[in-house]
Amino acid sequence: MAATAFDVNPGPGAVPRASLSVVSHGQAALVAELLRDVQAHVSGPIEVILTLNIPEALPFSAGDFNFPVRLITNEKPKGFGANHNQAFSASSGEYFVVLNPDIRLRADPLPALMEVLGGDIGVAAPAVLNPANEPEDSARRFPTPLAILLKALRGSRGGDYPTDQPRVFPDWVAGMFMLFPRRVFADLRGFDERYFLYYEDVDLCARLRSAGLRACRVAECCVIHDARRQSHRSLRYLRWHVSSMLRFFLTHPRLALGFR
């Protein structure tokens, strides 16, 4: 089965406005910083679904925060999409937020993102800055073999979309921070779990477009990507990257040929 089946009924009782899904890969210190940011800046009823993909001790307890923290501990590591699909199945919020543990908040990004959703907007994302306040390339055009070849030959030539516009409607937004209406994520059946790592966000946005919906990057709210992860320059990560890229091209051949 490619993706988890979902029940979109959040169940009885008080429903959180948003469910935030965070997956830790031995990144408990980063998670603690993120949760402190959430407590300091995010208002309204929320819940956090924290998934421990590998065993680790946490430097905090659920009672340290003014919102519920629901813990999922995997018996064995899962891929990016499988982890967030699992968190969605355990969540109950009206909105579902996928975010990385190395994201830092300076203000509450949720209201501005929620405001743009509806109509034909199926996912919203903030502008992403590095710790030096420089924009990161978090909104892009769908990849094609030709574009990847040209990038490899010429090197990066900046982002695909301008960073000085209040709202941009890119082909896809990076999975480091994505906000969905619950119904949209359920209707798409979440991430395709055949992608263990890489291209899950690209594929989901491609399926979003096939459903007549668009992505939106909202410049009026921004988050910091405080990347401190280990290098992925290994044969294992290269194999995952190449296999995911090929799967995307085979699954979405029109996009691979440059048709929008």
Side-chain angles (χ1 to χ4, degrees), residues 161-182:
Y161 296 92
T163 59
D164 58 351
Q165 295 183 5
R167 293 181 184 176
V168 170
F169 304 94
D171 286 349
W172 65 280
V173 292
M176 67 182 74
F177 198 119
M178 308 174 85
L179 186 147
F180 302 87
R182 184 176 191 84

Side-chain angles (χ1 to χ4, degrees), residues 116 120-121 161 167-172 209 214-217:
V116 306
D120 68 344
I121 305 301
Y161 296 92
R167 293 181 184 176
V168 170
F169 304 94
D171 286 349
W172 65 280
R209 172 170 292 201
R214 295 188 294 169
C216 181
R217 187 190 67 196

Side-chain angles (χ1 to χ4, degrees), residues 46 67 98 130 155 158 172 174 185 218 232 248:
I46 63 167
F67 48 83
V98 172
N130 65 23
W172 65 280
F185 195 83
V218 183
H232 286 177
F248 177 81

Side-chain angles (χ1 to χ4, degrees), residues 64-97:
D64 293 342
F65 307 101
N66 59 8
F67 48 83
V69 178
R70 304 175 64 182
L71 186 65
I72 298 174
T73 302
N74 289 339
E75 294 183 359
K76 61 180 181 178
K78 299 178 182 290
F80 177 95
N83 275 315
H84 288 295
N85 288 350
Q86 175 180 251
F88 181 83
S89 295
S91 71
S92 57
E94 180 182 354
Y95 296 93
F96 184 63
V97 186

Side-chain angles (χ1 to χ4, degrees), residues 141-153 155 160 249 256 260:
R141 297 189 184 279
F142 289 127
T144 66
L146 178 59
I148 291 172
L149 176 61
L150 291 176
K151 184 176 180 179
L153 294 174
D160 291 338
F249 292 152
R260 293 294 185 265

Side-chain angles (χ1 to χ4, degrees), residues 105-126:
L105 306 180
R106 294 178 178 172
D108 187 353
L110 300 188
L113 297 178
M114 291 175 181
E115 183 180 352
V116 306
L117 291 171
D120 68 344
I121 305 301
V123 62

